[in-house]
């Protein structure tokens, strides 16, 4: 159920790479653990993000959590629809719930990320 | 003992009643309306507006609560202000009735000290009257401070007083100063539909609060799409094309329909005859007093904002009680160690005791405990889950020395902690006190539990 064409970060974010750009969101496991999402603090356009650091923050009815970027780069597109309808992340984490598009600084960073089957194993272990 | 009091705000009228209770013959001189800033242009009117804004916010969420509404929700500022005026007039009448019941004479006019035993009143009807007394209490309060480069005009450049009497919701409002007053108005007019920008000279909004509380408030501002620009000042503002163009110290230019200036308060110590009796004033125009609320001139006391201390109504009232007691021969001293305070933003903020940054500055060894409202069943039932309770305890004694709350009913919740700080209770004593379920107060018990990692509704760390 985690799409094969995405790469996954251990902090439960995904990236879909196309050329030197990557679309980022949180995984289905993450949205399920968070519960109903009520607010997302979206990154700003042109903001610089670094791999393994916070680039957005999500508030759910259970908790407030950092969204950790899997890659370094510059924010070139933001899913503004989420500011009105953050629940789209719950409904469609890998589709309409995307958070931002990043222009990649270093595409080698992608190699450090997990593929779908590794991520599933990882999540399986973490939920034990 | 005859006492004349200048000013019938929360300092003056409370002192008047207390002194009368202790047997004094009291005259109160007031040039506007009893209740002072607090009742007429401060605490009460803003809370009345907050109530309308909250009602509007809740109404917008009706659907979430399973209530269907057919038709539109339209805030009508004229009627909101009417309601505010009604609330004020009810409470003004209440205070007048109280003063009357204690046989206190209320003179409508402006008082001025002639000597340590005489006050001249310029009555509102144009006549003058001199009153002799044994003691004088100055409780003349404060007024909004203005920025000399763009003084208040009541139309485009507004004081907090002006902002309580608008008849139309401005499309855009630039608020200079993100302290308690600026932030309260930001949430009020933001909810009513104005596009708000807050500009603050310091690095954060409500900068005197604990930093975690400021940060959370800043997040709530962002959620409401209220812009906050910090570390800047407004250098000049000009009127152009029916709006205000404001030039910031960082080079930015902002345009807004109106500007609200909330950068502090100026003390009402001018033109009340202080010079003629030799009362000293400080650099900011404040009247210094000792812990019995005495000025440098024997027999003349001062309380409230005009003394330049903590500008809060309940502080003024407490000072009024202390002054009245001392005037009537009972020795007592003011104690500022435990002063609760509340800010009526959305969500509310309340605090008592030390902030974490102060504990650090003072080299106090401390522990903190946190509890989020979103972990409380009651908060979910109410549909109000944003916010945090934070307690600070002295490490060696386990005594609670600070409490900081941002969240629903923070201003009511703070008093359990206030009593605990005042009485030197320990975190353990609070954590082991049964709290009723389901309530928001459970959060205090859980935050206390969290100080020692023993909160029940917090996941294992």
């Amino acid at each position: 159920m985690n799409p094969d064409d995405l790469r996954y970060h251990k902090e439960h974010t995904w990236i879909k790479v196309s050329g030197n750009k990557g679309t980022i969101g949180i995984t289905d496991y993450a949205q399920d653990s968070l519960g109903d999402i009520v607010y997302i603090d979206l990154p700003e356009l042109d903001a610089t993000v670094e791999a393994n650091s916070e680039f957005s923050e999500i508030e759910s009815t259970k908790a407030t959590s950092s969204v950790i970027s899997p890659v370094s780069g510059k924010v070139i597109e933001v899913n503004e629809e989420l500011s009105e309808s953050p629940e789209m992340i719950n409904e469609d984490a890998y589709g309409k719930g995307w958070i931002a598009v990043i222009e990649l600084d270093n595409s080698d960073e992608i190699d450090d990320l997990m593929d779908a089957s590794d991520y599933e194993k990882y999540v399986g272990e973490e939920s034990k | 003992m005859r006492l004349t009091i200048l000013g019938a705000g929360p300092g003056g009228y409370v002192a008047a009643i207390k002194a009368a209770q202790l047997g004094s013959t009291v005259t109160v001189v007031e040039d506007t309306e009893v209740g002072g800033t607090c009742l007429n242009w401060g605490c009460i009117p803003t809370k009345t507006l907050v109530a309308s804004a909250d009602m509007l916010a809740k109404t917008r969420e009706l659907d979430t609560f399973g209530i269907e509404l057919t038709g539109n929700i339209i805030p009508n500022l004229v009627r909101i202000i009417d309601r505010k005026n009604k609330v004020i007039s009810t409470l003004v009448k209440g205070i007048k009735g109280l003063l009357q019941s204690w046989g206190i004479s209320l003179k409508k006019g402006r008082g001025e000290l002639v000597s340590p035993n005489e006050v001249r009143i310029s009555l509102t009807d144009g006549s003058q009257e001199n009153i002799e007394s044994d003691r004088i209490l100055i409780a003349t309060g404060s007024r909004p401070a203005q920025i000399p480069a763009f003084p208040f005009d009541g139309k485009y450049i507004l004081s907090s007083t002006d902002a309580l009497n608008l008849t139309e919701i401005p499309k855009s409002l630039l608020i200079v100063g993100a302290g308690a007053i600026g932030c309260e108005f930001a949430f009020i007019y933001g909810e009513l539909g104005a596009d708000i920008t807050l500009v603050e000279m310091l690095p954060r909004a409500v900068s005197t609060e604990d930093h975690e509380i400021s940060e959370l408030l800043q997040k709530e501002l962002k959620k409401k799409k209220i812009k906050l620009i910090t570390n800047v000042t407004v250098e000049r503002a000009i009127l152009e094309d029916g709006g205000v163009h404001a030039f910031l110290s960082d080079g930015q230019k902002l345009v807004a329909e109106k500007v609200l200036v909330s950068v502090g308060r100026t003390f009402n110590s001018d033109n009340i005859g202080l010079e003629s009796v030799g009362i000293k004033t400080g650099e900011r125009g404040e009247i210094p007093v000792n812990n019995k609320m005495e000025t440098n001139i024997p027999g003349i006391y001062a309380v409230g904002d005009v003394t330049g201390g903590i500008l809060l109504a309940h502080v003024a009232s407490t000072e009024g009680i202390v002054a009245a007691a001392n005037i009537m021969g009972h020795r007592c001293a003011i104690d500022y160690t435990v002063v609760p305070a509340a800010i009526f933003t959305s969500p509310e903020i309340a605090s008592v005791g030390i902030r974490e940054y102060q504990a650090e500055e003072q080299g106090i060894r401390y522990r903190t405990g946190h509890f989020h409202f979103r972990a409380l069943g009651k908060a979910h039932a109410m549909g109000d889950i944003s916010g945090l309770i934070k307690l600070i305890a002295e490490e060696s004694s386990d005594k609670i020395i600070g409490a900081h709350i941002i969240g629903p009913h923070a201003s009511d919740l703070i008093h359990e902690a206030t009593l605990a700080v005042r009485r030197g209770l320990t975190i353990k004593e609070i954590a082991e006190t049964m709290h009723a379920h389901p309530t928001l107060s459970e959060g205090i018990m859980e935050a206390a539990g969290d100080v020692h990692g023993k909160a029940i509704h917090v996941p294992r760390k």
Side-chain angles (χ1 to χ4, degrees):
Chain A
M1 78 166 204
N2 295 304
D4 285 331
D5 57 339
L6 310 183
R7 301 301 290 258
Y8 299 86
H9 186 268
K10 61 178 170 37
E11 294 291 343
H12 309 288
T13 43
W14 56 263
I15 182 165
K16 182 176 188 174
V17 180
S18 146
N20 67 336
K21 293 174 192 168
T23 305
I24 297 176
I26 66 166
T27 66
D28 192 57
Y29 172 83
Q31 72 76 21
D32 189 56
S33 314
L34 282 168
D36 289 341
I37 292 169
V38 291
Y39 177 72
I40 177 162
D41 186 10
L42 291 164
E44 280 177 27
L45 267 186
D46 295 331
T48 309
V49 300
E50 280 186 46
N52 308 312
S53 60
E54 175 177 318
F55 91 118
S56 164
E57 194 180 62
I58 287 179
E59 265 187 60
S60 73
T61 53
K62 278 192 206 163
T64 302
S65 314
S66 301
V67 179
I68 303 298
S69 179
V71 292
S72 310
K74 193 173 86 170
V75 178
I76 54 171
E77 208 179 326
V78 173
N79 187 359
E80 296 289 350
E81 276 184 59
L82 293 182
S83 65
E84 293 304 322
S85 313
E87 69 280 1
M88 288 202 308
I89 299 171
N90 291 119
E91 290 158 8
D92 192 6
Y94 296 118
K96 286 183 181 159
W98 66 276
I99 295 170
V101 179
I102 308 274
E103 191 175 70
L104 306 180
D105 278 350
N106 176 5
S107 53
D108 291 348
E109 284 174 352
I110 304 296
D111 299 335
D112 298 336
L113 302 173
M114 291 175 265
D115 63 19
S117 68
D118 285 347
Y119 180 66
E120 264 153 44
K121 267 182 238 155
Y122 171 71
V123 166
E125 275 162 26
E126 199 172 65
S127 57
K128 261 175 207 164
Chain B
M1 179 73 73
R2 294 164 305 165
L3 168 64
T4 302
I5 301 177
L6 301 192
Y13 91 75
V14 169
I17 293 172
K18 184 69 185 177
Q21 287 172 346
L22 295 172
S24 171
T25 305
V26 186
T27 303
V28 179
V29 185
E30 170 59 56
D31 68 343
T32 54
E33 198 51 272
V34 300
T37 296
C38 166
L39 175 48
N40 296 284
W41 315 282
C43 325
I44 299 298
T46 50
K47 263 75 278 174
T48 311
L49 263 54
V50 165
S52 287
D54 281 351
M55 186 69 78
L56 181 61
K58 278 281 177 231
T59 310
R60 288 183 172 130
E61 282 181 67
L62 279 181
D63 193 56
T64 320
F65 288 83
I67 296 161
E68 287 168 26
L69 176 83
T70 48
N72 298 322
I73 305 161
I74 302 160
N76 180 328
L77 190 55
V78 172
R79 292 182 54 194
I80 291 172
I81 299 295
D82 272 352
R83 176 175 178 273
K84 183 256 318 179
N85 291 338
K86 254 181 228 149
V87 169
I88 292 173
S89 77
T90 303
L91 295 171
V92 164
K93 274 185 211 137
I95 295 174
K96 282 182 176 163
L98 278 174
L99 295 177
Q100 210 174 15
S101 80
W102 285 101
I104 294 159
S105 163
L106 177 64
K107 302 276 183 189
K108 195 81 187 284
R110 200 175 163 80
E112 195 183 328
L113 279 70
V114 180
S115 79
N117 297 99
E118 192 176 8
V119 166
R120 182 191 306 125
I121 310 170
S122 307
L123 294 156
T124 27
D125 65 9
S127 65
Q128 285 200 340
E129 184 183 342
N130 282 32
I131 293 186
E132 284 191 15
S133 60
D134 305 298
R135 301 282 185 271
I136 293 171
L137 172 63
I138 302 166
T140 45
S142 65
R143 59 184 184 271
Q146 45 187 347
I147 298 175
F150 43 99
F152 300 133
D153 63 14
K155 196 170 175 212
Y156 297 102
I157 310 292
L158 310 176
S159 68
S160 55
T161 307
D162 300 324
L164 290 167
N165 288 309
L166 297 180
T167 48
E168 268 178 61
I169 300 163
K171 281 195 181 60
S172 54
L173 180 65
L174 169 63
I175 302 178
V176 185
I181 297 171
C183 286
E184 286 186 5
F185 276 106
F187 281 97
I188 292 168
Y189 278 105
E191 193 62 52
L192 293 178
D195 182 15
I196 312 276
T197 305
L198 269 169
V199 168
E200 170 59 48
M201 179 174 80
L202 296 167
R204 50 179 66 83
V206 291
S207 58
T208 56
E209 295 300 321
D210 190 273
H211 293 342
E212 276 186 83
I213 301 295
S214 301
E215 271 165 36
L216 243 161
L217 182 77
Q218 285 174 193
K219 241 185 246 178
E220 295 298 324
L221 286 167
K222 209 168 171 184
K223 279 190 196 173
K224 300 265 175 179
K225 304 200 188 325
I226 295 167
K227 287 182 282 296
L228 170 69
I229 308 172
T230 53
N231 295 312
V232 289
T233 55
V234 179
E235 291 185 332
R236 89 203 153 85
I238 51 165
L239 264 180
E240 213 174 279
D241 310 323
V244 186
H245 294 233
F247 298 85
L248 308 190
S249 53
D250 67 352
Q252 282 190 75
K253 188 180 101 171
L254 301 173
V255 181
E257 188 180 321
K258 292 180 192 298
V259 175
L260 164 61
V261 178
S262 50
V263 293
R265 316 245 337 148
T266 303
F267 307 114
N268 293 333
S269 59
D270 35 358
N271 307 318
I272 53 169
L274 296 186
E275 312 74 23
S276 51
V277 292
I279 292 179
K280 281 188 200 144
T281 53
E283 272 176 22
R284 300 169 297 150
E286 77 279 13
I287 303 175
V289 287
N290 63 16
N291 64 5
K292 290 191 221 157
M293 310 316 298
E294 291 169 315
T295 66
N296 64 309
I297 302 296
I300 304 183
Y301 294 70
V303 298
D305 286 5
V306 76
T307 63
I310 305 170
L311 310 189
L312 293 171
H314 46 283
V315 171
S317 297
T318 308
E319 290 171 345
I321 288 170
V322 169
N326 281 303
I327 287 166
M328 295 308 289
H330 303 268
R331 293 178 63 87
C332 71
I334 186 80
D335 176 7
Y336 297 111
T337 48
V338 184
V339 178
I343 305 176
F344 294 82
T345 41
S346 178
E348 292 180 357
I349 292 173
S351 62
V352 69
I354 205 162
R355 280 84 168 113
E356 189 171 355
Y357 64 83
Q358 290 172 327
E360 272 168 21
E361 284 163 10
Q362 294 169 24
I364 295 169
R365 292 177 67 89
Y366 63 92
R367 288 198 180 98
T368 60
H370 295 78
F371 196 74
H372 289 269
F373 280 94
R374 69 185 70 240
L376 287 172
K378 181 65 177 287
H380 280 268
M382 291 165 59
D384 252 333
I385 60 169
S386 289
L388 168 76
I389 297 174
K390 172 177 178 178
L391 300 182
I392 302 174
E394 189 182 44
E395 194 180 88
S396 57
S397 66
D398 197 40
K399 280 182 183 168
I400 170 169
I401 51 173
H404 306 280
I405 307 176
I406 177 167
H409 296 282
S411 61
D412 298 310
L413 293 170
I414 197 67
H415 294 98
E416 177 183 356
T418 304
L419 189 61
V421 174
R422 183 161 157 81
R423 299 304 303 161
L425 297 186
T426 63
I427 286 294
K428 190 165 177 276
E429 284 169 313
I430 296 169
E432 291 178 355
T433 299
M434 199 188 288
H435 284 60
H437 177 74
T439 61
L440 298 174
S441 301
E442 288 174 279
I444 305 251
M445 173 179 71
E446 291 276 26
D450 188 57
V451 172
H452 299 300
K454 289 177 180 166
I456 296 297
H457 295 93
V458 172
R460 190 171 177 174
K461 284 172 191 170

